[in-house]
C-alpha cells in the first residue's frame, strides 16, 4: 500500500495495462485501444503542463521527447507501446529513487543514527576522582539515579550512562576503566576499538556489551556527530556542475532524436517510423546517471571517514594539481612526544618526569598533556598540590609537601631556581625545564613526530596526478625543513602568518589547488583554496566550516582517498552518461532503419536505463586501483609502529 501511495502513476498504469490485456483477450480491441490511448494522452498532457512551466522558468528539459513519443505512438496506433512508455516514465521515478537511496545509503545511515536522548546522572559528580569508575559501578547507577533527557539539554560536564548497544550521544571522556566501541559509521573502520579511562569518545559511536560512564565535553550542536550530520544534509542536497552539464546535453540529444525520426519517416514514407525512433530516445540515462554517480561518490567518501560538503567538490577533487599542507597537526601529529629526560642533579629521570607531570596537571598548555601521557606510560604517580598557579605562555608553579616545583621555559624556571642551563636540541625538538626546591633538576626534550602515513600519502597523491606539494607553516624555517626532509617535500614556506598563507595559495600556478589544515588559523586559507580540507578529528569548528571537505579521522592518508574518490566518481559519471547516450543513439539509428518495432524499442530502452543506472552505482565501490591502495594502506597501518 505504501508503494501504491508513493507511486500512484505506476499503480494506475499497471491497472490500465491489465484492463487493456483483459479487453484484448475478450476480443474488444477497439475499446482496449481507446482506453489505452485516452490514458496515455492524459499522462502526456500532465507531463506537458509541467514541461511548459519549467520552460517558462528558463529551464530546458528533455521530457519533451517523452511527451512527443507518447503522442506519436497513439497517433500511429501503437497504443501498447505508448502504455509501455508511460510505465517506463513512471517506473523511472521509482528506479531513480531506488538508485539514489542505494547511493546515499551511508549518508542516510548517519542521519538515522542521530541520538535523541541521554541517560544523565541526577547527582553527577565532576570528573575529578571518578576516572577509576568501572563498568560494574556504571550498572549500579542505573536504578533510579539517572534521568532520560533530550540530548540537546545535556551540558558540558554532565555525567552520562551509555547502556550496551546504545549510541554515544555527545562527545566526551570515558570515566569507566575501559570500553569497546563500534566507530564504523564515523570512521569506516569495521573492527571495534578499545578505549581506556580518560580517552575521548566520539558521539555517534556504538557502545559495546558493557555499560559505561562518560563526562560530556561538548554540547549537542558542537559534538562531532552533529557536525557530521549537518555536513551530510548539506551534501545530500547539493548538485554537481557535471549534473547540470548532463542537463545541457539534452538540447543536442533532443535535436538528434527529432532529426533521425524525420529521416526515418522520409525514407520509409511512414509516420510510424518517426514514432519508433522517439520511443528509444527517452532521456533517463541523462536525467539519472550523473546524479546517482555523484551521490554514490559522496556516500563512499562518508563510509571512508571523508565528508564532502557539496557534490561539485568531487569534480574539483578529480582535477587537483597542487596540494598545500599545514605542518603542525597535519603533516605531524600535533602532539609532541617525549624524546628524552636530561637530568641536572641528584634526581633520576623518572623523578624529574614525575615532578613535571604532577605540576603540569594544573596547566592548560598543549604540552602539559604530552608530559602527563609520558609519565603515565612509565606508570609514575601524580602528586596532589596544595596550591598551583599557571603563568600563561611561560609555565606553571605548584607546591607539593611544602616544596615548590616549577616547569616551563628556561627564563621562567630561572626566576625560581638556580643553575638553569639550556640544553642542546636537534631540529624539530623543544625543551621543557624543571626546577624544585630552588634548584634546576633537568629538562624534558619533546618533538612533534611526523605522521607515519605522511610519505605514503604524498606518494599516492603523485601517482594520482598531483604535480606539486607545498608546506605552509608558521614555524621557524629550521623546524619546517626538518619535517619537510622527512616527508620528502621540497617546497617549504616557513614563518607564515594567516595572510601569508592566503597569498601563497593564491599565487600557486598549477590549479586547482587543495589546502589541508586543522587549526583555527587555517580557516582563511581553507576558504580561499579551490578545495579546502580540514582534518576535523581534532580541528577547530572554524576550520571545518571554511573547508569543502572534512576528514573525521586523524589520518592524513584520507586526503589521497578523497582525490581518488573524486576521480573515480567523475569517471563513472561520464561513463554512465556516454554509455546511455551511445546505446540510445544506436537504437535510434536502428529504429530509423526499421529494425526496431515500437513495442520492442520501448522494452529495450528500459534495459538501457537499467544498465546506465547500474553502471552509475559503481561509484559506490573503490575500483581496482582504489581496492589495491586500500589494502596496502591497511597493511601499512598494521605494520607501522605507533607514534611516540
Amino acid at each position: 500500500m505504501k508503494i501504491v501511495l508513493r507511486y500512484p502513476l505506476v499503480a494506475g498504469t499497471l491497472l490500465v495495462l491489465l484492463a487493456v490485456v483483459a479487453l484484448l483477450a475478450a476480443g474488444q480491441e477497439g475499446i482496449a485501444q481507446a482506453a489505452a490511448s485516452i490514458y496515455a494522452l492524459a499522462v502526456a498532457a500532465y507531463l506537458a503542463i509541467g514541461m511548459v512551466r519549467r520552460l517558462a522558468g528558463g529551464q530546458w528539459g528533455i521530457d519533451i521527447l517523452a511527451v512527443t513519443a507518447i503522442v506519436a505512438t497513439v497517433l500511429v496506433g501503437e497504443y501498447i507501446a505508448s502504455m509501455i512508455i508511460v510505465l517506463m516514465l513512471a517506473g523511472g521515478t521509482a528506479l531513480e529513487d531506488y538508485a539514489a537511496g542505494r547511493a546515499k545509503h551511508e549518508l542516510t545511515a548517519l542521519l538515522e543514527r542521530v541520538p535523541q536522548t541521554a541517560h544523565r546522572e541526577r547527582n553527577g559528580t565532576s570528573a575529578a576522582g571518578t576516572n577509576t569508575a568501572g563498568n560494574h559501578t556504571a550498572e549500579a547507577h542505573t536504578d533510579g539515579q539517572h534521568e532520560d533527557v533530550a540530548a540537546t539539554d545535556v551540558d558540558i560536564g554532565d555525567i552520562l550512562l551509555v547502556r550496551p548497544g546504545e549510541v554515544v550521544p555527545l562527545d566526551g571522556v570515558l570515566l569507566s576503566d575501559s570500553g569497546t566501541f563500534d566507530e564504523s559509521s564515523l570512521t569506516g573502520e569495521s573492527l571495534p576499538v578499545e578505549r581506556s579511562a580518560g580517552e575521548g569518545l566520539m558521539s555517534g559511536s556504538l557502545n559495546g556489551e558493557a555499560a559505561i560512564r562518560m563526562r560530556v565535553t561538548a554540547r549537542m550542536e558542537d559534538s562531532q556527530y552533529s557536525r557530521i550530520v549537518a555536513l551530510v544534509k548539506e551534501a545530500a542536497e547539493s548538485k554537481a556542475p557535471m549534473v547540470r552539464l548532463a542537463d545541457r546535453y539534452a538540447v543536442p540529444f533532443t535535436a538528434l532524436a527529432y532529426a533521425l525520426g524525420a529521416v526515418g519517416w522520409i525514407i520509409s514514407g511512414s509516420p510510424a517510423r518517426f514514432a519508433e525512433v522517439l520511443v528509444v530516445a527517452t532521456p533517463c540515462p541523462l536525467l539519472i546517471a550523473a546524479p546517482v554517480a555523484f551521490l554514490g561518490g559522496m556516500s563512499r567518501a562518508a563510509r571512508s571517514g571523508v565528508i564532502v560538503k557539496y557534490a561539485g567538490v568531487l569534480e574539483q577533487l578529480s582535477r587537483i594539481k597542487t596540494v598545500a599542507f599545514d605542518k603542525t597537526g597535519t603533516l605531524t601529529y600535533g602532539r609532541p612526544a617525549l624524546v628524552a629526560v636530561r637530568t641536572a642533579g641528584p634526581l633520576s629521570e623518572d623523578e624529574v618526569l614525575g615532578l613535571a607531570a604532577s605540576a603540569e596537571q594544573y596547566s592548560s598548555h598543549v604540552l602539559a598533556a604530552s608530559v602527563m601521557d609520558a609519565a603515565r606510560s612509565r606508570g609514575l604517580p601524580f602528586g596532589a598540590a596544595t596550591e598551583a598557579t599557571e603563568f600563561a605562555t611561560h609555565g606553571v608553579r605548584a607546591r607539593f609537601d611544602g616544596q615548590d616545583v616549577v616547569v616551563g621555559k628556561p627564563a621562567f624556571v630561572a626566576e625560581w631556581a638556580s643553575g638553569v642551563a639550556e640544553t642542546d636540541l636537534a631540529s624539530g625538538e623543544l625543551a621543557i625545564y624543571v626546577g624544585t626546591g630552588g634548584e634546576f633538576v633537568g629538562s624534558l626534550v619533546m618533538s612533534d613526530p611526523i605522521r607515519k602515513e605522511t610519505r605514503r600519502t604524498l606518494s599516492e597523491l603523485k601517482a594520482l596526478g598531483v604535480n606539486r606539494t607545498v608546506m605552509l607553516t608558521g614555524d621557524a624555517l629550521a623546524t619546517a625543513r626538518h619535517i619537510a626532509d622527512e616527508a620528502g617535500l621540497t617546497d617549504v614556506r616557513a614563518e607564515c602568518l594567516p595572510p601569508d598563507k592566503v597569498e601563497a595559495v593564491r599565487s600557486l600556478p598549477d590549479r586547482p589547488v587543495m589546502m589541508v589544515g586543522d587549526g583555527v588559523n587555517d580557516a582563511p586559507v581553507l576558504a580561499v583554496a579551490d578545495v579546502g580540507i580540514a582534518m576535523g578529528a581534532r580541528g577547530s569548528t572554524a576550520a571545518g566550516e571554511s573547508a569543502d571537505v572534512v576528514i573525521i579521522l586523524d589520518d592524513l592518508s584520507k586526503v589521497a582517498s578523497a582525490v581518488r574518490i573524486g576521480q573515480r566518481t567523475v569517471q563513472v559519471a561520464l561513463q554512465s552518461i556516454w554509455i546511455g547516450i551511445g546505446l540510445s543513439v544506436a537504437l535510434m539509428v536502428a529504429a530509423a532503419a526499421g529494425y526496431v518495432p515500437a513495442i520492442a524499442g520501448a522494452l529495450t530502452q528500459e534495459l538501457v536505463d537499467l544498465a546506465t543506472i547500474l553502471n552509475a552505482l559503481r561509484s559506490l565501490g573503490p575500483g581496482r586501483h582504489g581496492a589495491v591502495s586500500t589494502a596496502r594502506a591497511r597493511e601499512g597501518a598494521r605494520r607501522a609502529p605507533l607514534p611516540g
Side-chain angles (χ1 to χ4, degrees), residues 68-391:
T68 310
I70 294 171
V71 174
T73 48
V74 169
L75 291 177
V76 300
E78 293 284 357
Y79 60 94
I80 296 296
S82 67
M83 289 297 297
I84 294 176
I85 295 172
V86 171
L87 182 61
M88 181 175 61
L89 290 171
T93 302
L95 188 61
E96 182 178 5
D97 287 349
Y98 165 76
R102 174 74 180 87
K104 290 196 296 184
H105 175 70
E106 273 72 26
L107 298 178
T108 54
L110 285 170
L111 300 179
E112 290 168 358
R113 287 164 55 96
V114 176
Q116 302 297 327
T117 60
H119 313 304
R120 182 172 62 188
E121 286 189 8
R122 294 182 186 275
N123 297 309
T125 58
S126 66
T130 62
N131 60 357
T132 58
N135 297 334
H136 177 74
T137 304
E139 292 176 354
H141 278 244
T142 61
D143 187 15
Q145 295 194 28
H146 295 88
E147 55 182 349
D148 288 348
V149 297
T152 52
D153 293 337
V154 177
D155 291 320
I156 295 174
D158 284 350
I159 308 298
L160 303 182
L161 170 74
V162 183
R163 297 190 176 107
E166 288 186 342
V167 174
V168 176
L170 299 100
D171 291 351
V173 173
L174 181 64
L175 299 182
S176 300
D177 284 340
S178 62
T180 303
F181 302 89
D182 177 1
E183 298 179 352
S184 58
S185 64
L186 297 167
T187 66
E189 177 55 58
S190 58
L191 297 177
V193 296
E194 298 282 344
R195 300 290 182 207
S196 301
E199 290 190 312
L201 300 180
M202 286 193 295
S203 56
S205 54
L206 190 67
N207 188 26
E209 298 180 354
I212 59 97
R213 293 175 70 228
M214 61 174 286
R215 187 182 80 254
V216 175
T217 57
R219 289 183 57 82
M220 184 69 175
E221 60 269 21
D222 298 322
S223 285
Q224 182 85 336
Y225 200 63
S226 296
R227 290 167 58 194
I228 293 170
V229 166
L231 294 175
V232 165
K233 286 181 178 178
E234 194 172 10
E237 295 169 359
S238 66
K239 190 175 185 181
M242 183 168 290
V243 176
R244 295 190 290 271
L245 182 63
D247 294 340
R248 292 198 296 272
Y249 288 160
V251 177
F253 185 80
T254 302
L256 178 62
Y258 284 138
L260 286 174
V263 169
W265 187 349
I266 293 170
I267 293 175
S268 67
S270 171
R273 193 67 58 84
F274 180 77
E276 289 167 357
V277 172
L278 294 189
V279 163
V280 295
T282 50
C284 286
L286 283 173
L287 293 175
I288 301 175
V292 166
F294 275 84
L295 283 172
M298 288 193 294
S299 192
R300 168 157 178 75
R303 188 168 69 240
S304 301
V306 179
I307 303 299
V308 179
K309 289 188 181 181
Y310 318 106
V313 173
L314 287 172
E315 198 168 350
Q316 284 279 67
L317 283 169
S318 71
R319 300 185 291 111
I320 291 296
K321 296 302 179 186
T322 302
V323 181
F325 296 93
D326 177 44
K327 183 185 78 69
T328 305
T330 303
L331 294 174
T332 67
Y333 285 99
R335 298 187 301 267
L338 181 67
V339 174
V341 180
R342 296 174 182 170
T343 61
L347 300 184
S348 67
E349 289 187 6
D350 282 357
E351 288 173 325
V352 172
L353 178 58
L355 285 173
S358 296
E360 289 281 39
Q361 67 182 315
Y362 301 101
S363 171
S364 59
H365 193 275
V366 64
L367 294 175
S370 298
V371 173
M372 290 187 287
D373 287 343
R376 289 192 192 100
S377 69
R378 299 191 184 191
L380 303 178
F382 293 1
T386 54
E387 63 175 278
T389 305
E390 181 177 18
F391 298 81

Side-chain angles (χ1 to χ4, degrees), residues 15-108:
L15 286 175
V16 173
L17 264 176
L18 289 174
V20 168
V21 171
L23 288 169
L24 289 174
Q28 302 294 325
E29 184 175 354
I31 299 175
Q33 182 173 356
S37 299
I38 291 171
Y39 180 80
L41 290 173
V43 172
Y46 173 76
L47 293 174
I49 292 171
M51 180 184 67
V52 170
R53 287 176 178 171
R54 285 190 291 275
L55 286 173
Q59 181 181 357
W60 175 268
I62 52 178
D63 42 9
I64 187 174
L65 281 174
V67 173
T68 310
I70 294 171
V71 174
T73 48
V74 169
L75 291 177
V76 300
E78 293 284 357
Y79 60 94
I80 296 296
S82 67
M83 289 297 297
I84 294 176
I85 295 172
V86 171
L87 182 61
M88 181 175 61
L89 290 171
T93 302
L95 188 61
E96 182 178 5
D97 287 349
Y98 165 76
R102 174 74 180 87
K104 290 196 296 184
H105 175 70
E106 273 72 26
L107 298 178
T108 54

Side-chain angles (χ1 to χ4, degrees), residues 534-545:
M535 300 286 287
R538 296 183 299 111
S540 71
T541 302
E545 290 175 351

